[in-house]
């Protein structure tokens, strides 16, 4: 499992700036909707000489940005996000929605 602080500095900076922009209501140039999750779940892809890194977050929950997952893509072929990673995003999105609903009460 990758830890964000172990990502290359340039990748951390790009992802951090993308999340900052999400918090201010903007969208980073490399943020794209994550297929299969509908609107409000975005993915930032950052290519580096050491590999491809991804961060997935949601702005679906009013006034909050929840980072759902960050990882280094290991597959050598294809651009698709691995199914196991998508399953983890799905679980974490559900958890974020539950936490958000509790805070609204």
């Amino acid at each position: 499992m990758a830890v964000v602080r172990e990502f290359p500095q340039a990748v951390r900076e790009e992802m951090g700036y993308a999340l900052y922009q999400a918090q201010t209501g903007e969208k980073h140039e490399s943020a794209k909707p994550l297929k299969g999750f509908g609107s409000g779940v975005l993915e930032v892809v950052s290519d580096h000489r050491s590999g491809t890194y991804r961060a997935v977050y949601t702005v679906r929950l009013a006034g909050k940005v929840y980072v759902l997952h960050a990882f280094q893509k290991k597959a050598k072929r294809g651009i698709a996000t691995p199914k196991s990673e998508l399953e983890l995003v799905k679980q974490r999105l559900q958890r974020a929605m539950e936490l958000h609903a509790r805070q609204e009460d």
Side-chain angles (χ1 to χ4, degrees), residues 2 7-8 48 50-54 69-75 82 85:
F7 289 2
H48 187 269
S50 64
T52 299
Y53 298 83
R54 297 178 181 210
H69 192 26
F71 60 99
Q72 181 179 8
K73 186 173 178 295
K74 301 285 186 180
E85 305 291 357

Side-chain angles (χ1 to χ4, degrees), residues 18-74:
L19 293 170
Y20 166 76
Q21 286 186 297
Q23 291 173 331
T24 61
E26 298 176 37
K27 185 176 150 199
H28 189 270
E29 64 186 356
S30 65
K32 307 283 189 263
L34 184 61
K35 291 181 182 170
F37 286 87
S39 66
V41 177
L42 298 111
E43 176 179 50
V44 176
V45 178
S46 183
D47 289 317
H48 187 269
R49 67 178 172 269
S50 64
T52 299
Y53 298 83
R54 297 178 181 210
V56 179
Y57 63 94
T58 186
V59 293
R60 186 182 290 174
L61 306 169
K64 306 262 183 184
V65 174
Y66 288 88
V67 178
L68 304 172
H69 192 26
F71 60 99
Q72 181 179 8
K73 186 173 178 295
K74 301 285 186 180

Side-chain angles (χ1 to χ4, degrees), residues 88-99:
L88 188 54
V89 169
K90 183 178 177 183
Q91 291 170 7
R92 290 179 176 173
L93 176 60
Q94 183 62 40
R95 180 72 177 133
M97 290 168 48
E98 291 167 3
L99 286 171

